[in-house]
Every structure is written in structure tokens, then in C-alpha cells.
Amino acid sequence: MADAPAVRGGRKDSSGGKQSEKRTGPVTFYRQVVAELRKVVWPTREQLGTYFVVVMVFVLIMIALVSALDLALGKLAFEVFTGADDI
């Protein structure tokens, strides 16, 4: 178990030596970010509108559900702790 790569040390490159821990400079980082953003598939205006409507409907349904549960459980707690006289 002592021979496991995680125990022996850091990563090694293909030549067998230890990999240098050189940091990426800001210019290289910026270029890499721009290159990755060019790969992103951006939604069309119609898709964005559709996604917006779907998310808003879902949020409104969840607001209604949570509000109804809050109202029902609040009334139940009020009845339990104030002692319903009509039972």
C-alpha cells in the first residue's frame, strides 16, 4: 500500500520525472477563458424567452404551494395550541 502513487508523491509527466508546478499567467488564463466561452452554445432569443416563462411558472407554483402549506400548518398549530373548544 505504501507504493500507491498517492502515497509516493505528486504527479509525474510522461517522461517519468516530477511535473513542474508552474503557474498559469494572467494573459494565458484570459486566453483560455475566452477560448472556453467560444465553445459555449448560447440559447437563441426564443429559447431564452421560453426558459424564462418555464422558470417563472415553476417559481409561482412553488410559491403557491409553500404559501398554502404555511397557511394550513399555521392554522393547525393555532388550533392545537389555543385549544379548540368546539371538539
Side-chain angles (χ1 to χ4, degrees), residues 52-86:
F52 175 78
V53 170
V54 168
V55 168
M56 290 307 294
V57 168
F58 177 77
V59 168
L60 291 174
I61 290 171
M62 293 308 295
I63 288 171
L65 178 68
V66 170
S67 297
L69 286 173
D70 181 53
L71 182 63
L73 293 175
K75 284 188 177 188
L76 177 66
F78 184 74
E79 290 297 322
V80 168
F81 291 114
T82 57
D85 292 332
D86 53 318

Side-chain angles (χ1 to χ4, degrees), residues 11 13 17 25 27 31 34 36 41 73 79-80 82 85:
R11 296 180 179 171
D13 61 10
V27 174
R31 286 182 182 160
V34 170
E36 288 299 320
V41 178
L73 293 175
E79 290 297 322
V80 168
T82 57
D85 292 332

Side-chain angles (χ1 to χ4, degrees), residues 24-33:
T24 303
V27 174
T28 305
F29 176 76
Y30 176 75
R31 286 182 182 160
Q32 290 174 348
V33 168

